[in-house]
Amino acid sequence: MKKKIHIKNIRNIGIIAHIDAGKTTVTERILYYTGRSHKIGEVHDGEAIMDWMPDEQERGITITSAVTTCHWKGNDIQIIDTPGHVDFTIEVERSLRVLDGAIGVFCAVGGVEPQSETVWRQADKYLVPKIAFINKLDRVGASFFKTIEMMKDILHANPLILQLPVGSEDDFAGVIDLIHMKQILWEDDALGETYITEEIPSDCRESAEKYRDKLIETIAEVDDDIMEDYLSEAPISTESLVAAIRKATIDLKLVPVLCGSALRNKGIQPLLNSIVDFLPSPVDVPPIKGVHPETGEIVECKAKNTEPLAALIFKVAMTEGRKLSYVRIYSGKMHTKENTYNPSRKINEKLSRILRMHANKRERVDSADAGSIVGVVGLKESSTGETLCSTDHPVLLEKIEFYEPVISIAIEPKTHADQEKLDEVLEKFMAEDPTLQLKKDEDTGQSILSGMGELHLEVIISRMQREFKTNVNVGKPQVVYRETIEKAGEGSAVFDKEIAGQRHFAKVTLKLTPLERGSPNRFISEIDEETIPDTFIPAIEKGIMESLESGALMGYPVVDVKATLIGGEFKESLGTELAYTVSASMACKTALANGEPFLLDPIMNVEIFVPEAFMGDVIGDLNSRNGKIESIEHKIEALAIKAIVPLARMFGYSTSLRSATQGRGTFTMQFSHFDRI
């Protein structure tokens, strides 16, 4: 039986970075060296444990955040490996919401890349203490110090160099540990399990001492005790140095920086030591605060088993048709078969199973303590971002913010059998992923699926077919135009027919006049009672309004027109409501055709946030899309460009914007009005 771990020896950490910086490779080495796995899985072979989905293995990227637990030097390290692609940024957001610490992995060649910046800011938003690991130092063009400068310039971080690389590119062999003043070298052929700790060679000693002095100076600036020893030139012990670095890291004053090459199995064991030494346990961070759902008073949830239960569902996954909820327990203890309370929905939920997760593998446990991250089966209605607590002590934790989708596709089932499954399958995907939205376009009848990017939607369509055997046709959403007229047009029509033994007669003459953009359609009558009796006027109005629902050009609704009844004819005993409705509709069609109809485009309000360096490219792209710039405002570290652009020219814009801004640009879009281009 596994020995119980004290909450002070738990580390809940996430691994965050730009795509292809080496997050999953770092995680695989951590699992191997901690004995959690018995072989190193490689991303490029499609064998990484944490990338267990077939789509992840085929594409060589992380799509969904995976949870695992490993053991190192008497500590439990619960790890969430997050995606690096901007389309799956919600996975990072909701993971960081429940983590106590994070490792930012940077490629030594690419430095601070666009998505590194995004995830770092997300970690800052949730006040998550961080360690930086500069990876891929064995690659051609790798630069340890350039990456540190980029951390300062782009992330506004305060890096604390704890290690120096030994050798570079192909000659990279290990690191110099500036805390213990030792050199650590790894053997190339031993899968990185064994390493040699030795004295720093004389040719590196001067550089090591210089950076050790800088290390102590940097800590002294944020720690009074170290400052006192530093100024009095008293010796500073390794223990007091580690304690000061830990405190400064947890207080978000410093970011310890380590280095290595995960693919070449170098640098991971010191990283594991740093996770334990410098990142917080659940009791080292301030207790999470919630509100009482009835009284609204602040409730503090302390990380103790003896406190009332407070847990947050941060992710829902559908596996083998069953709902699995990922939960972070902030306070109290969770037991199987017990009832918990969901204050958001005011319902009780029974926990049928509690699972300790290892990617897609799971181990059943009877209970879970405060500070744990576990999988739960049995929650029927509870969803992402909702709280589970005890009925006697209800508390509502802050919800997770979700992003608005930025790109849409039209989908339709390929066969009748697919039609029956499609709605059910999409419902499951939307329960998993709050950034996925489905709506039915009332005007076109199309089902419109919206997501965070083209890759995001591509993966959803692939999973539909692979996991649920549901095939769909995919296309661009149709743009719903409107029609109106250039000039006034007149039309006249006679309806004279015998229907079911009764003759119906009516003649209507009307005039259509264009109105200002955005004006509602109107009807007025300028004829007297003798021409057409008043009792038939509502039937004429009905015929005109129904006719305006489908225009003469392409059948889109007609807007911004005034219909005036200017003439007609009535025959006693033959005039009927049906006749006047049909006659008015026919006259309206003629008047529309005579008024030189044209199309109105849906125009969107678009707000784009971009770093100033990319402003020219973004504005040039908007001009090529017939966009009109309305304002440019300076925000913190970015420009906000407001423009109006025709919807038809905005398809594929999210991809274009990312290309033009190295992934740093974001935009929001909403309908403004219809207008002629």
Side-chain angles (χ1 to χ4, degrees), residues 62-81:
T62 303
I63 290 169
T64 181
S65 49
V67 180
T68 190
T69 305
C70 57
H71 199 67
W72 184 254
K73 295 186 177 177
N75 296 270
D76 263 3
I77 302 174
Q78 300 183 118
I79 302 172
I80 301 183
D81 176 29

Side-chain angles (χ1 to χ4, degrees), residues 95-262:
S95 300
L96 286 169
R97 169 69 174 80
V98 298
L99 291 169
D100 302 322
I103 300 169
V105 178
F106 299 97
C107 169
V109 180
V112 177
E113 296 168 286
Q115 189 64 6
S116 310
E117 187 182 352
T118 304
V119 295
W120 195 270
R121 303 242 181 276
Q122 286 172 301
D124 284 344
K125 181 166 93 176
Y126 292 115
L127 306 176
V128 177
K130 296 171 285 293
I131 286 175
F133 181 72
I134 298 177
N135 191 26
K136 302 191 178 185
L137 280 165
D138 59 309
R139 291 261 307 272
V140 174
S143 174
F144 176 73
F145 292 105
K146 180 183 147 210
T147 306
I148 285 172
E149 286 308 309
M150 290 177 80
M151 285 179 66
K152 291 177 187 172
D153 296 342
I154 297 173
L155 304 178
H156 306 292
N158 191 3
L160 179 71
I161 299 172
L162 302 187
Q163 294 177 347
L164 296 175
V166 175
S168 63
E169 299 181 353
D170 285 345
D171 298 327
F172 176 68
V175 298
I176 290 172
D177 178 348
L178 297 175
I179 294 176
H180 301 92
M181 287 302 276
K182 296 286 182 185
Q183 178 169 276
I184 306 169
L185 301 177
W186 279 265
E187 307 261 340
D188 276 331
D189 55 354
L191 286 177
E193 283 183 274
T194 57
Y195 52 91
I196 304 159
T197 303
E198 59 186 25
E199 293 302 318
I200 299 169
S202 55
D203 58 334
C204 300
R205 190 88 199 170
E206 189 181 333
S207 175
E209 285 174 353
K210 174 185 152 190
Y211 279 99
R212 163 122 174 150
D213 285 345
K214 279 190 179 178
L215 165 75
I216 294 170
E217 275 177 36
T218 308
I219 300 168
E221 286 171 11
V222 296
D223 189 285
D224 292 342
D225 292 340
I226 299 290
M227 174 65 87
E228 204 171 301
D229 289 344
Y230 178 66
L231 292 175
S232 62
E233 297 185 0
I236 299 170
S237 69
T238 301
E239 291 74 24
S240 58
L241 208 52
V242 168
I245 296 170
R246 178 180 179 78
K247 185 177 184 303
T249 305
I250 294 171
D251 292 345
L252 306 175
K253 291 176 180 173
L254 296 174
V255 177
V257 179
L258 298 98
C259 58
S261 169

Side-chain angles (χ1 to χ4, degrees), residues 530-586:
E530 291 172 10
T531 310
I532 297 174
D534 286 348
T535 52
F536 295 113
I537 299 300
I540 292 171
E541 182 176 2
K542 180 187 173 196
I544 292 169
M545 291 305 172
E546 285 177 356
S547 182
L548 291 176
E549 287 174 10
S550 176
L553 268 182
M554 295 174 71
Y556 291 110
V558 179
V559 295
D560 305 341
V561 295
K562 180 176 78 172
T564 309
L565 180 61
I566 56 174
E569 194 179 323
F570 169 73
K571 290 186 179 177
E572 194 69 47
S573 78
L574 300 181
T576 62
E577 286 189 2
L578 172 66
Y580 278 105
T581 299
V582 176
S583 178
S585 178
M586 292 160 59

